[in-house]
Amino acid sequence: MSNHNLIFKHFVSTKKLNSGMVMKLIHRAIEFKKMDRSLLPQYPGHFVSNVFLENSTRTHLSFEMAEKKLGMPVLSFDAKSSSVSKGETLLDTLITLEALGVDTVVVRTCEENYYEELITSPHLTLSIINGGDGAAQHPTQSMLDLMSMYECFHRFIGLKVAIVGDLIHSRVAHSNAEILARLGAKLYFSGPREWYEEDFDRYGEYLPIDELMSQVDVLMLLRVQLERHDQVDSFDAETYHRLYGLNIERADRLQEHAIIMHPAPVNRGVEIADELVMSPHSIIAEQMKNGVFMRMSILEAVMNGK
Ligand code: CP
């Protein structure tokens, strides 16, 4: 199986993917995961730059690793020392990178849907991969999450997935709910009611966390994103953990085959107990590993569009 016939000009939202595209990306990522390093295809003529205007460890570095494994030259970009700090717009930054010879940019910013004006701009021809836009979409995280679930269950139809926590502020929740529902998964949501929004009703059902433990195949926990909250003072980590977090007692009620996922970074002792982060049910480290291979798969499909 190869994704050589998958062609993307841009990769900005899960809403633009159909199930055939999803499966091709997953199979190609699994192929990359098994491939000897010496056999990896090399694309030395494809220049990439990672423009992260919001902090990141996993997405930024796994893209850089993916780019380097595929032999793509990476033009380093540091937001703090760049002219963004002098007020240069994202459009002007990308026009500059394109003028220098960059073919594809990976962009992360807090501005939701930033890519709409860029992909329609008559001044840009480079490809844009969305590395996360505010609370809206994190399509490459969704794809690595789908790959990780597929490796465990080999299906999405009827898979019972609970997404738990800071739903309203989570781009991971928004993009995963959208694509998982279209792939036929049965979705549940949980966490503080005030962090739930009606929009999620389109995809699944809200239930208290204690009703979910014994029935789900996938328990996907979300980071509490205090940086996106208006009222940080009222948050108490201990109370959150007791009411909504995954503790030992709740984890003991998971089915034998159930998996624990988290996009990370993890707030240990808040959404998940410290000792459960690397427990046998947890595939959190595998998600990070799969991020490199899925991003290779996506980069290759974008490179095919050139
Ligand atoms: N999961 C994720 O997007 O992590 P980073 O913010 O570290 O990239």
Side-chain angles (χ1 to χ4, degrees), residues 52 55-61 108 131 138 141 144 171-172 223 262-265 295:
F52 278 68
N55 291 345
S56 167
T57 298
R58 277 144 292 272
T59 312
H60 194 163
L61 292 183
R108 169 175 287 189
H138 197 347
Q141 176 73 43
L144 76 88
R171 53 190 169 219
V172 176
R223 181 173 70 87
H262 192 307
R295 286 167 177 134

Side-chain angles (χ1 to χ4, degrees), residues 23-24 27 32 39 50 59 62 70 73 90 118 147-148 158 166 194 196-197 203 228 241 269 288 293:
M23 291 317 301
K24 281 183 180 177
H27 285 299
F32 278 137
L39 299 176
N50 302 314
T59 312
S62 63
L70 291 175
L90 182 55
L118 300 177
M147 173 188 177
S148 305
D166 194 355
E194 61 273 25
Y196 181 79
E197 58 189 350
Y203 308 121
R228 298 193 205 280
H241 187 61
M288 297 178 203
F293 303 109

Side-chain angles (χ1 to χ4, degrees), residues 17 43 56 59 88 103 110 117 133-134 237 253 290:
L17 300 173
Y43 304 109
S56 167
T59 312
E88 188 166 38
D103 300 290
C110 60
E117 69 149 326
D133 58 309
R253 286 191 279 126
N290 285 343

Side-chain angles (χ1 to χ4, degrees), residues 143-193:
M143 284 306 310
L144 76 88
D145 288 343
L146 294 177
M147 173 188 177
S148 305
M149 285 181 228
Y150 188 77
E151 281 185 324
C152 295
F153 299 105
H154 306 286
R155 68 183 168 97
F156 296 108
I157 293 174
L159 198 64
K160 291 185 176 175
V161 181
I163 307 180
V164 178
D166 194 355
L167 290 154
I168 198 167
H169 300 106
S170 173
R171 53 190 169 219
V172 176
H174 289 119
S175 48
N176 273 340
E178 192 280 323
I179 190 78
L180 277 163
R182 277 197 291 119
L183 292 171
K186 183 149 179 51
L187 290 179
Y188 303 95
F189 302 98
S190 196
R193 280 307 297 222

